[in-house]
Amino acid sequence: MAVVQLGQYAPAEQILVHVSDTHFLADGAALYGAVDTDHTVHRALEQLHRSGIRPDALILTGDVADRGEADAYRRIRGIVEAAAAQWDAAIIWVMGNHDQRKSFRSELLGEAPDDQQSVDQNPVDQLHDLDGLRIIALDTSVPGYHHGEVADAQLEWLRQVLSTPARRGSILALHHPPIPTPLPLMSVLELQDQPRLAAVLAGSDVRAILAGHLHYSTQGVFAGIPVSVAAATCYTMDLSAPDREMTGMNGGQTLNLVHVYDDQITHSQLPIGDYAAVTQFSADYVSELAALSPEDRRHAFSRQS
C-alpha cells in the first residue's frame, strides 16, 4: 500500500529498530530470578509485526547476553533472525560490557577465530552499509570491567572510516553513551576519555549516535551529534528512586524506532506491552483524509468542533 504524505514531510527513507540490553541467560533462565527476558523480546517483535512497520535493520546496542553464554546468544539470534527474515531486514549486533567477545563473535557473527588472544583482546568493530547509510558498530567494552573505553587503534580506524563520507551519512552505534547520567553509580561505568572520541567525530558525516547501557531512555548531544539511548528490554532503572539509590524494576521496557529522513533523523520510544486503547482513528479514516485536498484535510481534522 502506497504511503500518502499528509503533511510537509515525505515518508522516512529508512526505518531502524533500536533495541538494547536484552541480557539473555542460558537455558532461558529468568534474569535475577524474576525477569523473563525472552518473553519481552518476543512481545516487542510481535508488536512490530502487528504494526505493519517494515524496518530496514534491527540494531542491538549491547549487553545482548548477561554472562556471554553461548546458549543465550544462540537463542536470541534465533528469535531476532526469524523476525528479520520476514522483513528482509539487516541485523547489527553491538558489543556491551556484559558480552564476551569470543562467544559474541562465534554465535552472533558466525566467525571462527583461531587465535584465542586476538579473540579476547581485539574489539568487535564493524561496518554495515544500508543502501548508502553507513552504520558503524564501535566496541566500547573493556574485558573484565563494566565501564567503557575506546582504544587508540579504534580511534584511528574510526578516523579513517569517516575520512570518506557515506552517501546517506553515518550512524554510530555503541553501548556506552557519551552523555551525562543523573545516576551517580552509572557515572562510574561511563565511557572514559570522551573528548578523544569527540575530536574524531567533530565535523564528520555522523548524523546520530545510538547507545544503551543506562537501562532508561534518554537523549543528548555529543560533538554536535544527537545521541539517543534505548531503554533495556529486560529491566529499567527507576529514575524516581530515592537520591543516590539505583533500583532496577521489571517495567517500563521499550525499544526505539529510528526514522531516517533526507535532512534529519528522529527517535521514538515504543512501550512494550498491551495497553487499553482510550481513543482511536481507523485506517479507513486516514484513507478518507488522504483523498481530500490539503485545505479540506485540515478543515476536517484540525478544526476544533
Side-chain angles (χ1 to χ4, degrees):
M1 180 182 297
V3 178
V4 178
Q5 181 176 332
L6 299 181
Q8 298 176 60
Y9 296 99
E13 295 181 338
Q14 292 167 304
I15 301 175
L16 315 176
V17 174
H18 177 196
V19 182
S20 202
D21 294 87
T22 51
H23 283 266
F24 271 37
L25 287 166
D27 302 317
L31 187 62
Y32 298 118
V35 180
D36 185 343
T37 56
D38 296 48
H39 175 69
T40 309
V41 172
H42 275 296
R43 187 167 58 180
L45 294 173
E46 288 169 359
Q47 286 181 232
L48 288 172
H49 281 297
R50 182 182 64 198
S51 72
I53 294 171
R54 296 190 62 86
D56 296 278
L58 296 114
I59 303 176
L60 291 89
T61 51
D63 285 0
V64 179
D66 189 64
R67 299 175 184 168
E69 299 158 312
D71 177 73
Y73 286 130
R74 285 194 292 267
R75 206 169 64 257
I76 190 168
R77 178 179 176 178
I79 294 170
V80 173
E81 284 186 345
Q86 298 183 56
W87 297 313
D88 194 25
I91 304 172
I92 298 171
W93 306 98
V94 182
M95 275 283 298
N97 52 280
H98 278 264
D99 293 306
Q100 298 295 322
R101 288 174 177 171
K102 178 181 179 181
S103 48
F104 186 98
R105 280 189 165 101
S106 61
E107 302 301 336
L108 295 183
L109 305 183
E111 296 182 3
D114 54 10
D115 184 340
Q116 181 62 46
Q117 183 175 3
S118 68
V119 169
D120 293 335
Q121 298 303 320
N122 290 348
V124 188
D125 299 326
Q126 309 163 67
L127 292 177
H128 299 266
D129 179 73
L130 299 179
D131 191 24
L133 178 67
R134 181 169 54 197
I135 309 295
I136 305 169
L138 188 68
D139 182 355
T140 56
S141 68
V142 182
Y145 292 87
H146 288 302
H147 69 276
E149 295 179 5
V150 182
D152 291 341
Q154 289 179 278
L155 291 173
E156 180 57 32
W157 172 81
L158 183 60
R159 183 179 290 107
Q160 292 179 7
V161 168
L162 295 175
S163 66
T164 303
R167 179 165 56 88
R168 286 181 168 171
S170 297
I171 290 178
L172 177 64
L174 42 70
H175 184 64
H176 297 81
I179 56 173
T181 172
L183 298 175
L185 288 178
M186 290 306 293
S187 295
V188 179
L189 308 181
E190 67 187 0
L191 180 66
Q192 304 298 301
D193 298 322
Q194 294 181 20
R196 297 169 65 236
L197 176 61
V200 174
L201 296 179
S204 72
D205 74 341
V206 175
R207 303 173 61 190
I209 298 173
L210 309 182
H213 188 52
L214 297 179
H215 287 243
Y216 64 89
S217 295
T218 187
Q219 297 80 39
V221 177
F222 180 72
I225 303 166
V227 178
S228 177
V229 179
T233 62
C234 60
Y235 68 90
T236 61
M237 291 299 179
D238 182 1
L239 294 182
S240 67
D243 185 42
R244 298 200 301 168
E245 292 187 10
M246 191 166 76
T247 303
M249 57 185 183
N250 190 4
Q253 292 93 337
T254 63
L255 55 80
N256 283 11
L257 297 177
V258 182
H259 288 77
V260 180
Y261 298 87
D262 178 60
D263 60 347
Q264 63 178 295
I265 297 177
T266 65
H267 308 266
S268 308
Q269 285 74 50
L270 174 64
I272 301 172
D274 296 319
Y275 304 95
V278 295
T279 183
Q280 186 177 34
F281 295 95
S282 69
D284 289 341
Y285 180 68
V286 175
S287 297
E288 292 174 8
L289 286 181
L292 302 176
S293 68
E295 294 75 18
D296 289 342
R297 190 181 301 147
R298 283 193 295 272
H299 181 78
F301 191 62
S302 175
R303 184 172 181 272
Q304 298 180 6
S305 58

